[in-house]
């Protein structure tokens, strides 16, 4: 495949851009593979990439029912962070953060990772104390975190309503300066290209319709393009996990599927150089390199597999944005979309073997799927290759709910939509 560099750009510019090679092949599925990864999103593609790169397993197929990037990897608000309270999550997401820092160089593909910071706002003294607690927990594990005063926040984000007459006065905030954003579809394309170059078959428009079994063991899949056998089957389909697992005869999973909406505004001159989150509701906003505001809020309050949401959440998100940034009242929304989130019972992911022999499971990402992409693929590939978890994903087992060893970072209890 083509190497991307300043020299290749110049060479192809001089030749009228007629000599670019495809970023990845369009192979037909083979009859069998060592590993089949179901799901061509960020986690599935990164898993295939690290299977080849770290473990030398290249006889791998990634099956995507649509086109690459059509799922959640292309439907998120692009934030990357590791500001968690519990050590299991903090260590995992901080490892992912370190991988993000070198990802463009490793993939030879610009994922546009920008460490512009993520700022969590506090609107009561008690909320500020809670952010201080989280910040101390982060710093204890070597993750950067700093409390900010209202004066510092006003200078950093001048568009915020910092007045005491504001509906939700700002008492301070917690910022993680190493956090930031990345270009979501570039991440999918970069991992696809990297996996393809190492011999992985990426098969688009190939929907899994069933599983082949030998007793309890999973030995392959039936698809819209025929049967494919494999020694190992990895499932990484985010909000479609429940549906795919039903095809394997697993009727109940400790997750729910919910729609999460996102929005982008018309382009504005640069005025927001960080990601800001609202403390009195579920709202977060950043500004893209093209000038559009990318923002989102809470889940729609019902289970769904639809990639679109409801109007009450639209109204709620807009009202929360105006509570923080009244000057944005006349800014126009260009478009909105929805992604199907796989919400786990404790708000933490599942990266584990099972629940059937020959099957491996990656799901339960809630809001955290995009930022986890590098570490998720790295740890899932380790689990598949060695039939044992990496130390970073060892806590994220499927049976932790029955054992009572939940990892509830928000303390919301067994209510998936609250995480």
């Amino acid at each position: 495949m083509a190497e991307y560099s300043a020299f290749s750009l110049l060479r192809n510019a001089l030749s009228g851009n007629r000599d670019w090679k495809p970023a990845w092949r369009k192979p037909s599925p083979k009859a069998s593979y060592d590993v089949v990864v179901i799901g061509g999103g960020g986690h599935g593609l990164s898993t295939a990439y690290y299977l080849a790169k770290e473990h030398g397993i290249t006889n791998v197929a990634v099956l995507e029912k649509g086109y690459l990037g059509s799922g959640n990897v292309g439907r998120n608000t692009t934030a990357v962070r590791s500001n968690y309270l519990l050590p299991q999550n903090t260590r995992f997401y901080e490892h992912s953060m370190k991988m993000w820092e070198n990802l463009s160089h490793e993939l030879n593909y610009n994922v546009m990772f920008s460490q512009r910071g993520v700022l969590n706002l506090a609107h009561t003294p008690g909320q500020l104390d809670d952010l201080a607690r989280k910040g101390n927990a982060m710093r204890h594990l070597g993750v950067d975190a700093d409390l900010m005063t209202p004066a510092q926040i006003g200078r950093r984000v001048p568009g915020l309503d910092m007045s005491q007459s504001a509906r939700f006065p700002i008492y301070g905030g917690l910022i993680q300066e190493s956090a930031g954003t990345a270009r979501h579809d570039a991440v999918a394309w970069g991992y696809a290209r990297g996996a393809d170059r190492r011999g992985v078959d990426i098969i688009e428009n190939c929907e899994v319709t069933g599983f082949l079994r030998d007793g309890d063991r999973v030995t392959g899949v039936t698809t819209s393009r025929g049967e494919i056998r494999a020694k190992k089957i990895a499932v990484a389909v985010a909000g479609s996990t429940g549906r795919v697992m039903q095809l394997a005869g697993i009727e109940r999973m400790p997750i729910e599927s919910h729609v999460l909406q996102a929005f982008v505004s018309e382009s504005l001159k640069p005025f927001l150089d960080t990601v800001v989150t609202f403390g009195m509701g579920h709202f977060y906003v950043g500004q893209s390199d093209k000038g559009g505001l990318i923002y989102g809020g809470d889940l729609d309050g019902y289970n769904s597999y639809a990639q679109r949401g409801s109007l009450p959440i639209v109204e709620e998100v807009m009202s929360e944005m105006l509570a923080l940034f009244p000057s944005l009242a006349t800014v126009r929304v260009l478009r909105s979309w929805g992604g199907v989130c796989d919400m786990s019972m404790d708000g933490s992911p599942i990266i584990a073997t099972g629940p059937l022999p020959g099957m491996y499971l990656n799901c339960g990402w809630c809001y955290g799927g995009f930022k986890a992409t590098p570490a998720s693929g790295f740890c899932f590939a380790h689990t598949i290759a060695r039939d044992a978890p990496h130390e970073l994903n060892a806590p994220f087992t499927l049976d932790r709910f029955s054992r009572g060893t939940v990892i509830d970072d928000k303390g919301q209890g067994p209510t998936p939509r609250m995480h």
Side-chain angles (χ1 to χ4, degrees), residues 286-306:
Q287 188 172 19
S288 74
D289 293 334
K290 293 193 293 185
L293 299 176
I294 302 175
Y295 53 100
D298 212 344
L299 299 167
D300 283 72
Y302 54 88
N303 302 118
S304 176
Y305 292 109

Side-chain angles (χ1 to χ4, degrees), residues 120-237:
N120 303 127
L121 298 176
H123 302 276
T124 67
Q127 202 169 52
L128 187 60
D129 287 344
D130 191 55
L131 289 180
R133 176 189 176 219
K134 176 187 282 189
N136 285 329
M138 293 167 60
R139 292 169 71 97
H140 181 69
L141 292 175
V143 181
D144 65 292
D146 294 288
L147 282 179
M148 297 184 72
T149 66
Q152 290 173 319
I153 293 172
R155 290 192 295 269
R156 179 69 179 265
V157 190
L160 281 170
D161 183 358
M162 299 299 299
S163 67
Q164 286 303 304
S165 62
R167 175 65 181 87
F168 300 102
I170 295 171
Y171 282 76
L174 180 71
I175 190 165
Q176 183 184 10
E177 294 283 6
S178 65
T181 62
R183 175 67 183 267
H184 45 195
D185 44 11
V187 175
W189 300 335
Y191 271 121
R193 177 174 174 270
D196 179 86
R197 290 177 61 184
R198 287 167 172 80
V200 172
D201 283 355
I202 298 170
I203 305 170
E204 299 174 77
N205 301 305
C206 183
E207 183 176 4
V208 170
T209 57
F211 286 83
L212 302 175
R213 303 273 288 269
D214 182 5
D216 287 338
R217 188 171 188 84
V218 176
T219 58
V221 292
T222 59
T223 77
S224 56
R225 299 179 63 175
E227 289 188 357
I228 304 174
R229 297 191 175 272
K231 299 174 184 176
K232 298 181 177 183
I233 307 291
V235 179
V237 294

Side-chain angles (χ1 to χ4, degrees), residues 12 17 74 99 140 256 269 292 402 416:
N12 281 278
N17 288 309
M99 295 180 73
H140 181 69
E256 292 182 358
K269 291 183 178 180
S402 62

